Amino acid sequence: MTTSKLKIILDTDPGGDDAFALLWLLSLVKQRYAELVAVTTVDGNVNAKYTFVGASKLLKLAGFAHVEVAKGIIGGSVKGSEDAGLLHGIDGMGNLTHTLLECTNSYCTAREADEVLIEKLNASPEEITIIAIAPLTNLAAAEKKSPGILKKAKEIIIMGGAFLTAGNLTPEGEFNIAYDVEAANIVFQSREDLVVLPLDITRKLIFTNPIAQNIAKVKGKSAIAQFIVSLAEFMCQTSQAFRETNGLEGFLVHDAVTLAYLFYPETLLFRRALVRIETKGEWTTGKTVFDHRHKTKVGANAWVAMEVDAVNVLAAMSEDLKILIRETTV
């Protein structure tokens, strides 16, 4: 694991896998490997109000209620598409948010995500890493309002895209990219060193009920342990989860791989590529494309993950979540 302390803004739309990624990140913050500067939420898996409340309650659950949560910019979605409430629950977190402590954060008075991104990046240029595990609406809004602002991030890590496999929102489009393709196109033109973690590898990260139960055993009566078990049970029982895992009883923790990149980089293998977003295709809107024909990297804008050591990613995630449970008093 890397030992340097990173400043991080998490852009998220909780979402079951987002929830697990956020809890994993909070464990790493507790272990002093990272500092969470802010959480920016966005319309995506479920409505923006639900993603704001979900993130706020998770932060309070783990003892991080002081972290600012920004509300999302509302972006476009693929014509005729629905959100992912059937997979993640109406509230985005297995219909469990009502079981968590109320938070003091107010959606009505919260600052908007683009404002927070611009302020934080201007205040600490080349110091903050953005982890984007949601539609890229917030990042694009910040870039449009303040051109060049995304170049002030130390690094931008995106869970999104599908290059060698099918999409999961449309036949060719991965959810985070296809949900707001214009936003994705803006972000992918903003820098030459984006880190992209696509469905090609995240489909190997199958989280199961036994994994959740093993994590929770360290302090089974704690609120976090009970939430982890309950959310895993919900996520594993949906019909879409079974389709995504080839019939195995589990679900995909797509977003967790962003943290593997930062803190367990030995678990991933990348290639350099020029990634483009299809914005006008009749059947392929939202598809992420790079040229497989040539070895030249001229004009490349991204590093794309091609292989993942899924066993060790899940093992690292599990051990870090155990630490979070042990060290949280709720």
Side-chain angles (χ1 to χ4, degrees):
M1 177 187 289
T2 182
T3 56
S4 58
K5 190 172 182 179
L6 299 173
K7 292 182 178 181
I8 291 171
I9 293 176
L10 181 71
D11 190 69
T12 181
D13 61 338
D17 57 328
D18 298 72
F20 277 94
L22 176 52
L23 290 176
W24 189 5
L25 175 57
L26 294 178
S27 175
L28 293 160
V29 173
K30 275 190 181 289
Q31 296 175 69
R32 302 183 185 276
Y33 291 115
E35 173 189 344
L36 185 55
V37 175
V39 174
T40 51
T41 60
V42 68
D43 187 65
N45 281 321
V46 289
N47 179 275
K49 291 184 179 180
Y50 289 134
T51 63
F52 176 87
V53 170
S56 298
K57 286 195 168 190
L58 284 178
L59 288 166
K60 183 168 185 177
L61 177 66
F64 289 89
H66 61 280
V67 174
E68 181 175 8
V69 181
K71 62 185 175 185
I73 306 299
I74 304 300
S77 61
V78 172
K79 195 174 294 184
S81 70
E82 299 178 356
D83 67 22
L86 289 176
L87 176 61
H88 297 278
I90 293 172
D91 62 355
M93 297 200 304
N95 302 321
L96 295 168
T97 52
H98 72 281
T99 69
L100 303 178
L101 294 172
E102 289 300 322
C103 55
T104 56
N105 291 347
S106 167
Y107 179 84
C108 293
T109 60
R111 293 199 292 166
E112 292 192 333
D114 59 347
E115 176 188 346
V116 171
L117 286 165
I118 292 168
E119 177 194 282
K120 301 297 185 183
L121 292 173
N122 276 329
S124 302
E126 300 183 8
E127 293 182 13
I128 295 173
T129 296
I130 298 174
I131 303 176
I133 56 175
L136 296 171
T137 310
N138 288 338
L139 275 65
E143 183 69 16
K144 286 191 290 185
K145 185 179 288 187
S146 180
I149 192 66
L150 294 182
K151 287 184 178 178
K152 292 190 176 183
K154 178 180 181 181
E155 195 167 30
I156 297 178
I157 302 151
I158 297 168
M159 188 277 117
F163 297 91
L164 305 176
T165 62
N168 61 353
L169 180 62
T170 66
E172 297 291 343
E174 180 275 329
F175 185 92
N176 288 343
I177 301 299
Y179 193 85
D180 190 346
V181 292
E182 297 298 337
N185 195 40
I186 290 169
V187 173
F188 273 81
Q189 293 182 49
S190 70
R191 298 175 61 115
E192 294 76 43
D193 58 352
L194 298 169
V195 175
V196 183
L197 302 146
L199 290 183
D200 309 84
I201 62 162
T202 65
R203 281 184 164 130
K204 299 177 182 178
L205 299 174
I206 302 175
F207 193 92
T208 65
N209 283 323
I211 294 175
Q213 291 157 5
N214 178 263
I215 292 168
K217 280 194 298 187
V218 300
K219 197 176 178 182
K221 293 184 179 180
S222 74
I224 293 182
Q226 292 176 15
F227 176 78
I228 286 172
V229 169
S230 296
L231 181 57
E233 287 176 350
F234 178 91
M235 295 295 294
C236 287
Q237 72 185 5
T238 66
S239 59
Q240 186 172 339
F242 280 102
R243 290 196 298 272
E244 288 185 328
T245 58
N246 295 318
L248 296 176
E249 188 174 345
F251 67 100
L252 300 177
V253 282
H254 302 283
D255 297 328
V257 75
T258 56
L259 297 172
Y261 164 73
L262 279 176
F263 299 98
Y264 300 92
E266 68 278 6
T267 61
L268 291 156
L269 182 66
F270 290 84
R271 68 162 288 176
R272 191 85 170 112
L274 171 59
V275 177
R276 291 190 172 96
I277 311 297
E278 177 55 67
T279 61
K280 299 178 181 178
E282 183 176 0
W283 307 110
T284 58
T285 300
K287 183 174 179 59
T288 47
V289 179
F290 62 63
D291 194 337
H292 295 271
R293 296 172 301 171
H294 307 297
K295 294 183 179 180
T296 179
K297 309 303 179 190
V298 175
N301 63 350
W303 291 93
V304 180
M306 304 300 293
E307 295 182 24
V308 63
D309 180 352
V311 171
N312 279 312
V313 170
L314 292 170
M317 177 182 174
S318 297
E319 293 306 308
D320 284 326
L321 287 175
K322 289 177 183 178
I323 292 171
L324 178 66
I325 292 171
R326 288 192 194 102
E327 296 190 3
T328 302
T329 57
V330 178

Coordinates of all heavy atoms in Angstrom, one line a residue, residues 111-143:
R111 N -24.1 23.6 -0.8 CA -23.5 24.2 -1.9 C -23.6 23.2 -3.1 O -23.6 22.0 -2.9 CB -22.1 24.6 -1.7 CG -21.9 25.7 -0.6 CD -20.6 26.4 -0.7 NE -19.5 25.5 -0.3 CZ -18.2 25.8 -0.6 NH1 -17.8 26.8 -1.3 NH2 -17.3 24.9 -0.1
E112 N -23.6 23.8 -4.3 CA -23.6 23.0 -5.5 C -22.2 22.4 -5.8 O -21.2 23.0 -5.5 CB -24.1 23.7 -6.7 CG -25.6 24.1 -6.6 CD -26.2 24.6 -7.8 OE1 -25.5 25.2 -8.7 OE2 -27.4 24.4 -8.0
A113 N -22.1 21.2 -6.4 CA -20.9 20.5 -6.6 C -19.9 21.2 -7.4 O -18.7 21.2 -7.1 CB -21.2 19.1 -7.2
D114 N -20.3 21.9 -8.5 CA -19.3 22.6 -9.3 C -18.6 23.7 -8.5 O -17.4 24.0 -8.7 CB -19.9 23.1 -10.6 CG -21.1 24.0 -10.4 OD1 -21.6 24.1 -9.3 OD2 -21.5 24.7 -11.4
E115 N -19.4 24.4 -7.7 CA -18.8 25.5 -6.8 C -17.7 24.9 -5.9 O -16.7 25.5 -5.8 CB -19.9 26.1 -6.0 CG -19.5 27.2 -5.1 CD -20.6 27.7 -4.1 OE1 -21.7 27.4 -4.4 OE2 -20.2 28.4 -3.1
V116 N -18.0 23.8 -5.3 CA -17.1 23.2 -4.3 C -15.8 22.7 -5.1 O -14.7 22.9 -4.6 CB -17.8 22.0 -3.6 CG1 -16.7 21.3 -2.8 CG2 -18.9 22.6 -2.7
L117 N -16.0 22.1 -6.2 CA -14.9 21.6 -7.0 C -14.0 22.8 -7.4 O -12.7 22.7 -7.2 CB -15.4 20.9 -8.2 CG -15.9 19.5 -8.0 CD1 -16.7 19.0 -9.3 CD2 -14.8 18.5 -7.7
I118 N -14.6 23.8 -7.9 CA -13.8 25.0 -8.3 C -13.0 25.6 -7.2 O -11.8 25.9 -7.2 CB -14.7 26.0 -9.0 CG1 -15.2 25.4 -10.4 CG2 -13.9 27.3 -9.3 CD1 -16.3 26.3 -11.0
E119 N -13.7 25.8 -6.0 CA -13.1 26.4 -4.9 C -11.9 25.5 -4.3 O -10.8 26.1 -4.1 CB -14.1 26.5 -3.7 CG -13.5 27.1 -2.5 CD -14.5 27.0 -1.3 OE1 -15.4 27.8 -1.2 OE2 -14.3 26.0 -0.5
K120 N -12.2 24.2 -4.2 CA -11.1 23.4 -3.6 C -9.9 23.3 -4.5 O -8.8 23.3 -4.1 CB -11.7 22.0 -3.3 CG -12.9 22.0 -2.3 CD -12.5 22.5 -1.0 CE -13.7 22.4 0.0 NZ -13.4 22.9 1.3
L121 N -10.1 23.1 -5.8 CA -9.0 23.0 -6.8 C -8.2 24.3 -6.9 O -7.0 24.2 -7.0 CB -9.5 22.5 -8.1 CG -10.1 21.1 -8.2 CD1 -10.7 20.8 -9.5 CD2 -9.0 20.1 -7.9
N122 N -8.9 25.4 -6.8 CA -8.2 26.7 -6.9 C -7.4 26.9 -5.6 O -6.3 27.5 -5.7 CB -9.2 27.8 -7.1 CG -9.5 28.1 -8.5 OD1 -8.7 27.8 -9.4 ND2 -10.7 28.5 -8.8
A123 N -7.9 26.4 -4.5 CA -7.2 26.6 -3.2 C -6.0 25.7 -3.1 O -5.0 26.1 -2.4 CB -8.2 26.4 -2.1
S124 N -6.0 24.6 -3.7 CA -4.9 23.6 -3.6 C -4.6 23.0 -4.9 O -4.8 21.8 -5.2 CB -5.3 22.5 -2.6 OG -5.7 23.0 -1.3
P125 N -4.1 23.8 -5.8 CA -3.8 23.3 -7.2 C -2.8 22.2 -7.2 O -1.8 22.2 -6.4 CB -3.3 24.5 -7.9 CG -2.8 25.5 -6.8 CD -3.7 25.2 -5.7
E126 N -3.0 21.1 -8.0 CA -2.2 20.0 -8.1 C -2.0 19.2 -6.8 O -1.0 18.4 -6.7 CB -0.8 20.4 -8.7 CG -1.0 21.0 -10.1 CD 0.4 21.4 -10.8 OE1 1.4 21.0 -10.2 OE2 0.3 22.0 -11.8
E127 N -2.9 19.4 -5.9 CA -2.8 18.6 -4.6 C -3.9 17.6 -4.4 O -3.8 16.7 -3.7 CB -2.8 19.6 -3.4 CG -1.5 20.4 -3.3 CD -1.5 21.3 -2.1 OE1 -2.4 21.1 -1.2 OE2 -0.7 22.2 -2.0
I128 N -5.1 17.9 -5.1 CA -6.3 17.1 -4.8 C -6.5 16.1 -5.9 O -6.5 16.4 -7.1 CB -7.5 18.0 -4.7 CG1 -7.4 18.9 -3.5 CG2 -8.8 17.2 -4.6 CD1 -8.4 20.0 -3.3
T129 N -6.8 14.8 -5.5 CA -7.2 13.8 -6.5 C -8.7 13.7 -6.5 O -9.3 13.6 -5.4 CB -6.5 12.4 -6.0 OG1 -5.1 12.5 -6.1 CG2 -7.0 11.3 -6.9
I130 N -9.3 13.7 -7.7 CA -10.7 13.5 -7.8 C -11.0 12.0 -8.2 O -10.4 11.5 -9.1 CB -11.3 14.4 -8.9 CG1 -11.1 15.9 -8.5 CG2 -12.8 14.1 -9.1 CD1 -11.5 16.9 -9.6
I131 N -11.8 11.4 -7.3 CA -12.3 10.0 -7.7 C -13.7 10.2 -8.1 O -14.6 10.6 -7.4 CB -12.2 9.1 -6.4 CG1 -10.8 9.0 -5.9 CG2 -12.7 7.7 -6.8 CD1 -10.7 8.2 -4.6
A132 N -13.9 9.9 -9.4 CA -15.3 10.1 -10.0 C -15.9 8.7 -10.2 O -15.5 8.0 -11.1 CB -15.1 10.8 -11.3
I133 N -16.9 8.4 -9.5 CA -17.5 7.1 -9.6 C -19.0 7.2 -9.9 O -19.9 6.4 -9.4 CB -17.3 6.2 -8.3 CG1 -17.8 7.0 -7.0 CG2 -15.8 5.9 -8.1 CD1 -17.7 6.1 -5.7
A134 N -19.3 8.2 -10.7 CA -20.7 8.6 -11.0 C -20.7 9.2 -12.4 O -19.7 9.4 -13.0 CB -21.3 9.5 -10.0
P135 N -21.9 9.5 -12.9 CA -22.0 10.3 -14.1 C -21.1 11.6 -13.9 O -21.1 12.1 -12.8 CB -23.4 10.6 -14.3 CG -24.1 9.4 -13.7 CD -23.3 9.1 -12.5
L136 N -20.5 12.1 -15.0 CA -19.5 13.1 -14.9 C -20.1 14.5 -15.0 O -19.4 15.5 -15.3 CB -18.4 12.9 -16.0 CG -17.6 11.6 -15.8 CD1 -16.8 11.3 -17.0 CD2 -16.8 11.6 -14.5
T137 N -21.3 14.6 -14.7 CA -22.0 15.9 -14.8 C -21.4 17.0 -13.9 O -21.2 18.2 -14.4 CB -23.5 15.7 -14.3 OG1 -24.1 14.6 -15.0 CG2 -24.3 17.0 -14.6
N138 N -21.0 16.7 -12.7 CA -20.4 17.7 -11.8 C -19.1 18.2 -12.3 O -18.8 19.4 -12.3 CB -20.2 17.2 -10.4 CG -21.5 17.0 -9.6 OD1 -22.5 17.6 -9.9 ND2 -21.5 16.1 -8.7
L139 N -18.2 17.3 -12.8 CA -16.9 17.7 -13.3 C -17.1 18.5 -14.5 O -16.3 19.5 -14.7 CB -16.1 16.4 -13.5 CG -15.3 15.8 -12.3 CD1 -16.3 15.3 -11.3 CD2 -14.4 14.7 -12.8
A140 N -18.0 18.1 -15.4 CA -18.1 18.9 -16.6 C -18.7 20.3 -16.3 O -18.3 21.3 -17.0 CB -19.1 18.2 -17.6
A141 N -19.6 20.4 -15.4 CA -20.2 21.7 -15.0 C -19.1 22.6 -14.5 O -19.0 23.8 -14.8 CB -21.3 21.5 -14.0
A142 N -18.2 22.1 -13.7 CA -17.0 22.9 -13.1 C -16.1 23.3 -14.3 O -15.7 24.5 -14.3 CB -16.3 22.0 -12.1
E143 N -15.9 22.4 -15.2 CA -15.0 22.8 -16.4 C -15.6 23.8 -17.3 O -15.0 24.7 -17.8 CB -14.7 21.5 -17.2 CG -13.7 21.7 -18.3 CD -12.3 22.0 -17.9 OE1 -12.0 21.8 -16.7 OE2 -11.5 22.5 -18.8

